[in-house]
Amino acid sequence: MQEMNMKKLSSVKIIAIALLIISVIAFGSLSWFTMSKEVEGSGTQMTASDLPFEISVESPYIKGVDYSSILNSHFGYNTTSHETGGSVEAIKCLMNDVTLDTENPMRGLQPGSYGTLTFHVKPKVTGTYEINFNVATTGYHAEFDLDNNQAIKPSSIKTTEVNGEDVPIFYSLTDYATQQSENITALNETITELTAKGTLTDAEKKTLDDARKELSNATEDSVNCPKAARYLNGHILFFENWDSTTKYYSKFIPDTGFERTYTFTANDVAGTMSDSRKEELTVTIYWIWPNTFGQIVLDNGNKNLSTNDPAMFSSTTTAVNGKTPRQELTDYISSHGSYFFESTNTNLNESNLANTINTLSTTPDNIIPLSNGYNNADQIIGENVQVLLAEITVITD
Amino acid sequence: MKKILSKFKKLSHREKIGFVIAMLLTVSLTVIMPVLAWFSKQRRLADLQYVNSPTKLYITAGHLEEAKYIDLSDIQVTASTDTAKYYVFAVTGTNAAYYNLQLAYTTNNQFEYFLYPAQEHEGNAPANTTMPYVSYTAHNDTGTDGNFYYTVDTSVVGDGTLSAAACKITDKTVITRQEIQSTIESVFLNQEGTLIKADKTDSLHGDTYGNDFSVTQVQDCAEPLYWQIRNIKSGMNPTTRELKDYYILEVNWAKTKAEFERQKIPFIDNGETDVIYISVASGTGGA
């Protein structure tokens, strides 16, 4: 009899859980239905599971280190196809680092690197569409295996065997920080245990010493990895335009991405467009990891700006919609200080930052804390981020 | 809710199971659909790139003490029979597999400079007298007597091995610049053929003094010579990625005035002061 009661109780529980799931699902699908209605409303023939265009790249060739297999296995990107479509939704493009030289091709990104990301929009359905392009960077941490005192380089990243192949081990920055926090707990236990012991054998002394050293490393990593993830948002900058003559950037792309409106004609869809039209349908994103903060806020010729790291903007550039290209970026920096600076200087805190940047012409010395804070953040990125994933997401409603 | 429950209770076991399965299927269908739709509503592009590790490099005095303790004073050229004096300094830092070392110096005195990779010894002075040492008294280390000794390290520097014989300080068969050049890449930026130029026609004048002083305003001996040793493979610890590479700097005044003049290095017989800059920058290494 009691057994029967138990059974009843458990089925009631299942029901209760199922009902709960249903109510949660209901919310999710409702919002999805709204989305799909919007698509219908734009008057096209396509279904919700299709886009009116595809994306193609010239050739996802490799410059620098080949991480194609990781991009494929870890992140699900198709690294052999040059075009989306069919079941291929994500492809590899080239973060073309023009500062990489043939003399030392193994070099990776570092402050001062810059280049382009280029791809083509391939129209499939005629009509006018507003397309959103979003660019995001994510850092990954890796450990090095430097047995033979070899240089720190991609090939010395610690690996693990997957299906008979050596695959580099990457940690997401948050995962690594969490792992290190757990490490700290364990290390502290070891240290407490050994210190309580009093007299120690030589082996124990070594264990204690090693634990202390590891603790300081783990503590640093657990604090700095999340910081590095944050600073990446502000240190690798993306722009829609770059002037090849003046070398000035414009149209900064914030973390919300940028929009372009295209009207696809029948010729576009048939692929019989002119060369100039092809160019219109090509999107080039210019990226730069500025070496110094001065490149953002100072003009060429300023004594605080090295000629090796030229200015990204000029004060004399005409303003568009009331803002010069530099103002667009500095306004963004002022409201996103935590993406840019590692500093305890009060001039750089949330309430003072805008003023510090905007009064540089009258208080030129303020470039010092700005520059230092920016460099310190670079240092944290470099010490904790070994691999960078740059992703572009293309969406239309 | 109670009504639904009571209705459910009335169902047979079989019906109950069927009902639950049906519901779960509906639920999973609803879950799958929006997820699929979400993925297909966008296209993605990406690239993975390697990020270089930042290099930290410092010049320090012996026993990794602050650079302010590098003291090159007390060189008595005429008062002793010696023709050289030795000092220790270190290149230290993290994440530097290779580095370039530069000595930039003025030429008021007829000094030549030589560099030897060195090893640190703690406690008693090395017993082997055939291998002389440079001693350094630590300022902040209270251990033992605070004395450290540095002998020439005969192991590998750069890509070539410097032989023990060539490194001996006593017999003065020091490594000549040419020898270093043949083993690791070493260069005088001011070199032109066999001549090491420090005169004011040198194009490096502009790099040193900028446009503030014209060539006629600077005395010849104040035009520094730049000596660079490139891509020295560091002694970086593979685990900690820290390095501490000691060097012995020899200041030598054995060279004759005629020899200096032959090489077109100007110098003043009774010069008192010379400026020497030791700097280090990360090297590219062999990738």
Side-chain angles (χ1 to χ4, degrees), chain A residues 117-134:
Chain A
L117 286 154
T118 306
F119 54 90
H120 311 283
V121 176
K122 296 199 76 181
K124 261 169 50 189
V125 183
T126 55
T128 301
Y129 307 97
E130 191 179 64
I131 305 177
N132 177 275
F133 302 89
N134 199 314

Side-chain angles (χ1 to χ4, degrees), chain A residues 19 21 32 54 89-93 95 107-110 146 149 152-153 379 382 386 388 390 392-394, chain B residues 1 8 27 30-31 37 40 42-52 54 56 95 236 238 241 287:
Chain A
L19 280 173
I21 290 172
W32 172 62
E54 294 296 344
E89 176 261 329
I91 55 171
K92 175 182 163 63
C93 63
M95 195 174 178
R107 198 172 65 78
L109 302 182
Q110 61 184 34
L146 298 173
N149 197 8
I152 295 166
K153 56 186 178 183
Q379 185 74 18
Q386 276 68 43
L388 179 91
I392 306 167
T393 312
V394 189
Chain B
M1 195 68 169
F8 184 76
V27 166
T30 334
V31 171
S40 58
Q42 61 177 22
R43 297 291 180 264
R44 292 181 298 141
L45 300 121
D47 194 17
L48 269 185
Q49 285 278 345
Y50 178 71
V51 178
N52 292 344
K56 277 188 199 166
N95 285 336
M236 182 172 66
R241 297 202 248 157

Side-chain angles (χ1 to χ4, degrees), chain A residues 291-298 333 340-341 357 367 370-371 374:
Chain A
N291 196 20
T292 66
F293 192 71
Q295 288 178 266
I296 296 172
V297 289
L298 303 177
I333 296 172
F340 291 86
F341 307 104
I357 293 174
I367 189 67
L370 287 166
S371 208
Y374 180 85

Side-chain angles (χ1 to χ4, degrees), chain A residues 25 37 47 71 79 155 175 215 240 256 258 280 290 303 347:
Chain A
I25 292 308
K37 261 183 200 152
T47 59
L71 198 56
T79 49
S155 56
D175 283 358
L215 179 68
E240 284 184 68
T256 47
F258 65 98
E280 275 172 30
K303 68 176 168 64
N347 286 330

Side-chain angles (χ1 to χ4, degrees), chain A residues 70-381:
Chain A
I70 309 277
L71 198 56
N72 182 266
S73 61
H74 278 52
F75 303 102
Y77 282 86
N78 187 316
T79 49
T80 50
S81 178
H82 298 188
E83 198 177 318
T84 62
S87 61
V88 180
E89 176 261 329
I91 55 171
K92 175 182 163 63
C93 63
L94 180 73
M95 195 174 178
N96 191 15
D97 181 352
V98 299
T99 55
L100 269 181
D101 50 26
T102 43
E103 192 185 308
N104 192 16
M106 295 303 273
R107 198 172 65 78
L109 302 182
Q110 61 184 34
S113 300
Y114 59 89
T116 53
L117 286 154
T118 306
F119 54 90
H120 311 283
V121 176
K122 296 199 76 181
K124 261 169 50 189
V125 183
T126 55
T128 301
Y129 307 97
E130 191 179 64
I131 305 177
N132 177 275
F133 302 89
N134 199 314
V135 198
T137 48
T138 317
Y140 292 87
H141 183 82
E143 286 171 345
F144 293 93
D145 217 346
L146 298 173
D147 280 346
N148 299 311
N149 197 8
Q150 29 176 331
I152 295 166
K153 56 186 178 183
S155 56
S156 51
I157 287 178
K158 276 188 184 167
T159 55
T160 184
E161 214 186 276
V162 177
N163 301 329
E165 247 182 90
D166 281 341
V167 180
I169 309 170
F170 293 164
Y171 302 88
S172 94
L173 290 170
T174 39
D175 283 358
Y176 194 73
T178 316
Q179 190 186 319
Q180 290 299 66
S181 307
E182 283 161 13
N183 236 354
I184 292 170
T185 319
L187 289 165
N188 270 327
E189 275 168 22
T190 314
I191 293 168
T192 320
E193 199 179 298
L194 286 172
T195 359
K197 236 179 164 184
T199 43
L200 299 174
T201 65
D202 282 354
E204 282 170 333
K205 265 182 205 160
K206 195 181 175 301
T207 314
L208 182 62
D209 265 5
D210 289 350
R212 280 186 177 139
K213 263 182 217 158
E214 222 180 295
L215 179 68
S216 97
N217 283 338
T219 312
E220 210 173 276
D221 287 347
S222 69
V223 175
N224 284 344
C225 277
K227 277 188 185 176
R230 211 173 64 217
Y231 293 141
L232 268 184
N233 296 320
H235 282 239
I236 298 186
L237 303 170
F238 298 93
F239 296 87
E240 284 184 68
N241 279 330
W242 178 71
D243 188 317
S244 57
T245 316
T246 60
K247 317 277 183 209
Y248 293 139
Y249 291 80
S250 56
K251 293 186 122 180
F252 169 66
I253 305 171
D255 52 9
T256 47
F258 65 98
E259 256 94 39
R260 279 189 194 178
T261 305
Y262 290 98
T263 302
F264 298 151
T265 64
N267 273 349
D268 292 342
V269 174
T272 53
M273 67 280 251
S274 64
D275 282 354
S276 61
R277 176 64 179 156
K278 258 183 202 159
E279 221 164 277
E280 275 172 30
L281 292 168
T282 300
V283 181
T284 302
I285 293 170
Y286 300 88
W287 63 267
I288 179 169
W289 183 351
N291 196 20
T292 66
F293 192 71
Q295 288 178 266
I296 296 172
V297 289
L298 303 177
D299 274 359
N300 276 331
N302 187 302
K303 68 176 168 64
N304 288 318
L305 195 62
S306 148
T307 46
N308 292 331
D309 305 310
M312 290 164 59
F313 310 101
S314 162
S315 314
T316 55
T317 308
T318 326
V320 178
N321 299 330
K323 277 186 191 180
T324 65
R326 177 181 288 149
Q327 278 167 335
E328 260 180 40
L329 178 57
T330 51
D331 283 359
Y332 180 83
I333 296 172
S334 300
S335 57
H336 295 80
S338 64
Y339 286 180
F340 291 86
F341 307 104
E342 163 78 13
S343 175
T344 50
N345 191 303
T346 50
N347 286 330
L348 269 58
N349 66 23
E350 215 177 299
S351 49
N352 295 338
L353 185 59
N355 186 50
T356 306
I357 293 174
N358 294 331
T359 56
L360 267 174
S361 54
T362 49
T363 326
D365 280 356
N366 270 341
I367 189 67
I368 297 164
L370 287 166
S371 208
N372 286 345
Y374 180 85
N375 286 342
N376 292 342
D378 267 348
Q379 185 74 18
I380 289 179
I381 294 175

